[in-house]
Amino acid sequence: MTGTPAPFTADDYQARMERAARAAADAGLAGVLVAPGPDLVWLTGYAPPAATERLTLLVLAAGQDPVLVVPTLEAPDAEKAAGAPALTLRDWTDGKDPYATTAPLLDAGGRFGVSDNAWALHLLGLQKALPGTSYVSLTEGLPMLRAVKDAAELERLAAAGEAADATYEEILKVSFAGRRESEVAGDLADLLRRFGHSQVDFTVVGSGPNGANPHHEAGERVIENGDMVVLDFGGLKHGYGSDTSRTVHVGEPSAEERRVHDVVREAQEAAFLAVRPGIACQDVDRVARAHITEAGYGDRFIHRTGHGIGVTTHEPPYMIEGEEQPLVPGMCFSVEPGIYLPGRFGVRIEDIVTVTEDGGRRLNNTSREMAVVH
């Protein structure tokens, strides 16, 4: 396992906020409004209480200093955030109108990008205070804001991928047959934490027919000899995501099961080899889909080939038909084709990949051959 990376500094957060303000201006927006959530953490290092109903909002606009509007009772915590020296805090007290505090910071006729998880309550409050404003979600208005990672972010993503790989190597040693899916899922969660994850986001264990549901929630089904088992797991380590999938078999697989697994493995390899700067996101999907379709399973590949990853385990860009965004060095995303045969079994193989100057680099490096477990 790699060591703990150096923390991000106020300068790092200042550069991100300046980049976001420039990107907004380039997109024709008056600025960016960021509510509590992953965007706020990425831009400032501040994570307010998760359940607060009080308005907390970062206001970014080209040509003006960043301002974080916070409730007075939470201002001391906001002042301790790593990015706080790079912004101005403006607090409001209970009983006062937070929108009256925020409105002077905004262009009264501007169009703003708003973080996806902003509360409707707060957005409606701003609209009432400033009826001339309009809003667009960041996923729509600035989808690539967090997409290109710097060296420090790539270091964290690589460490998360390494921890997920170590988890997979260990899970191959446990018993599958005769145990519930939920028990194996618990093993995965424990292992992710053992290898440094602070947060476990998902532990999919889809055995036998349950593997034909790509997002099957591990349940009480007892895994049997002869089952194909889809394993898909990940979370956050050092604040950055992991996400990997492998498909194992309990006992010796049939010729058909081997063939389906081979088709998915070959599609995943072909899609990975297609990764390079300048090609469109949809081209990664097209390569994987073409291979699976040629093998006769095109209608059984029922999801996109990949999604971006960073401070969340799912974010733009997406590897899907219609996404014409070119790949850029530093982008990180999953490559995870699959085949799902209803009532029988499923197969998915997934790695996180980062775009390099001349191709792609996997951040997951465990074997993609089918593992036989007991």
Side-chain angles (χ1 to χ4, degrees):
M1 291 290 109
T2 53
T4 302
F8 293 119
T9 66
D11 288 343
D12 294 323
Y13 291 113
Q14 181 176 1
R16 292 176 185 177
M17 288 189 280
E18 290 174 350
R19 190 169 107 201
R22 287 195 305 271
D26 291 345
L29 298 173
V32 177
L33 307 179
V34 185
D39 291 311
L40 187 64
V41 173
W42 183 76
L43 286 162
T44 69
Y46 178 49
T52 182
E53 73 285 359
R54 296 178 173 92
L55 176 72
T56 298
L57 198 70
L58 175 68
V59 180
L60 302 176
Q64 72 181 52
D65 292 337
V67 177
L68 180 62
V69 178
V70 295
T72 301
L73 78 169
E74 291 166 11
D77 288 335
E79 290 170 351
K80 297 174 186 175
L87 51 79
T88 299
L89 288 181
R90 186 164 298 182
D91 66 323
W92 62 275
T93 58
D94 281 356
K96 302 294 185 181
D97 182 356
Y99 312 111
T101 300
T102 309
L105 305 173
L106 276 56
D107 177 348
R111 182 170 176 79
F112 293 87
V114 181
S115 52
D116 294 2
N117 52 350
W119 284 28
L121 171 73
H122 299 319
L123 192 58
L124 291 168
L126 287 174
Q127 286 180 314
K128 184 177 179 180
L130 295 169
T133 54
S134 59
Y135 304 90
V136 61
S137 72
L138 286 187
T139 288
E140 181 181 347
L142 295 175
M144 296 298 114
L145 181 61
R146 303 195 321 250
V148 178
K149 275 65 179 180
D150 61 24
E153 292 181 292
L154 289 172
E155 178 187 3
R156 286 163 169 77
L157 283 159
E162 182 183 359
D165 283 358
T167 294
Y168 176 66
E169 296 289 359
E170 288 297 311
I171 205 69
L172 294 180
K173 302 174 184 177
V174 311
S175 295
F176 280 72
R179 301 178 70 212
R180 293 181 175 86
E181 293 172 339
S182 57
E183 293 177 280
V184 177
D187 290 342
L188 286 169
D190 290 345
L191 288 165
L192 285 169
R193 293 189 183 96
R194 185 205 300 179
F195 292 118
H197 278 61
S198 60
Q199 176 176 313
V200 176
D201 285 349
F202 47 87
T203 51
V204 173
V205 179
S207 64
N210 288 342
N213 174 1
H215 281 172
H216 170 68
E217 292 281 346
E220 297 308 296
R221 182 181 186 275
V222 175
I223 301 170
E224 301 174 357
N225 192 58
D227 279 348
M228 194 86 88
V229 185
V230 178
L231 305 173
D232 183 351
F233 50 93
L236 299 182
K237 178 176 181 175
H238 305 317
Y240 281 75
S242 69
D243 186 0
T244 189
S245 301
R246 294 292 185 263
T247 303
V248 303
H249 198 277
V250 185
E252 286 301 315
S254 68
E256 181 192 19
E257 288 169 330
R258 283 196 180 279
R259 177 174 183 271
V260 172
H261 191 278
D262 284 345
V263 170
V264 174
R265 179 177 52 78
E266 291 160 3
Q268 205 264 358
E269 177 72 10
F272 165 69
L273 292 174
V275 172
R276 62 183 182 277
I279 73 162
C281 292
Q282 67 182 2
D283 292 334
V284 179
D285 182 82
R286 286 174 175 177
V287 168
R289 206 164 296 278
H291 186 85
I292 289 174
T293 299
E294 185 177 351
Y297 296 99
D299 62 339
R300 304 273 43 101
F301 180 13
I302 56 177
H303 55 71
R304 63 197 176 202
T305 293
H307 57 81
I309 190 169
V311 292
T312 58
T313 48
H314 289 76
E315 62 186 45
Y318 299 101
M319 307 301 114
I320 186 63
E321 183 66 31
E323 179 52 81
E324 298 179 352
Q325 167 68 41
L327 298 187
V328 177
M331 280 184 177
C332 293
F333 49 85
S334 65
V335 177
E336 51 176 309
I339 292 174
Y340 307 94
L341 304 180
R344 302 182 63 206
F345 64 88
V347 175
R348 182 165 63 259
I349 299 173
E350 173 186 17
D351 295 322
I352 298 303
V353 172
T354 184
V355 184
T356 64
E357 294 297 329
D358 57 1
R361 175 169 68 96
R362 297 183 194 267
L363 300 187
N364 295 108
N365 294 289
T366 55
S367 173
R368 283 162 286 280
E369 299 290 336
M370 189 194 301
V372 174
V373 296
H374 62 276

